[in-house]
Amino acid sequence: DDETYLPGERVSSELNMTMVGLTYGYRFLVKDRGELTGTFGIQITEVEANAVVRSRVVRDSENGIAPLPLVGLEGRFDLSSRWSAEARVQYLSVDIEEVDGTITDARFALTWRKNPHLVFGLGYRSFTVEVDSRNEDTPGLVDMSIDGPLLFMRASL
């Protein structure tokens, strides 16, 4: 809104982000022990942000939801009949008027196939968002990184 935060002010903030993604892949290289796949995904992202300056009773909140298209590449290399190494990188870059932004979603995992339809995995994921708005109505900078271990199960038909 039209709130101005003063230098040195203590601001309590909270950010809640919920993401749900759907990705389609096309395998363009298939070998005996591995494959490469081009991907196109949509991340539906909901963001709720709150900022509070208790000393002046200033409260500001924003929320929004947006579909974000990501393109990427993923690969798999079979170490044995049940064990594989997998990696995926998806990316989005935008430059619209006075707003620049990038999203990078990268992951690496070691997987174990119980059968052709059920896979368990352990890996590492890095998700970064960088947005720089130079628009005088909505200026700001977001530089967020979420990194950590990944434990998952994947089922397919």
Side-chain angles (χ1 to χ4, degrees), residues 1-2 8 14 21-22 27 38 52 65 67 69 76 84 91-92 104 109-110 114 117-119 138 154:
D1 295 325
D2 292 326
E14 182 177 317
L22 179 64
R27 283 184 279 199
V52 177
I65 188 166
R76 188 189 82 234
S84 297
Y91 184 76
L92 169 67
T104 306
L110 186 61
K114 178 169 175 48
H117 308 289
L118 186 60
V119 175
T138 57
R154 183 171 55 231

Side-chain angles (χ1 to χ4, degrees), residues 23-29 36-40 71-74 90:
T23 300
Y24 172 79
Y26 176 76
R27 283 184 279 199
F28 60 87
L29 180 63
L36 279 176
T37 304
T39 64
F40 176 76
V71 294
L73 186 66
E74 68 180 55
Q90 290 187 302

Side-chain angles (χ1 to χ4, degrees), residues 1-7 9 11 53 56 58 60:
D1 295 325
D2 292 326
E3 296 297 337
T4 301
Y5 298 94
L6 306 174
E9 241 177 357
V11 179
V53 179
R56 292 190 298 132
V58 172
D60 192 14

Side-chain angles (χ1 to χ4, degrees), residues 77-137:
F77 181 76
D78 295 330
L79 304 169
S80 70
S81 62
R82 293 196 183 262
W83 290 93
S84 297
E86 298 180 355
R88 175 195 279 186
V89 175
Q90 290 187 302
Y91 184 76
L92 169 67
S93 179
V94 294
D95 186 356
I96 301 172
E97 295 178 10
E98 297 176 331
V99 178
D100 298 327
T102 61
I103 296 174
T104 306
D105 185 4
R107 61 187 86 178
F108 173 79
L110 186 61
T111 61
W112 179 77
R113 273 188 297 283
K114 178 169 175 48
N115 59 49
H117 308 289
L118 186 60
V119 175
F120 297 93
L122 176 64
Y124 189 81
R125 182 175 183 184
S126 174
F127 184 83
T128 59
V129 177
E130 295 175 359
V131 179
D132 184 8
S133 174
R134 294 169 310 283
N135 184 318
E136 65 181 53
D137 292 333

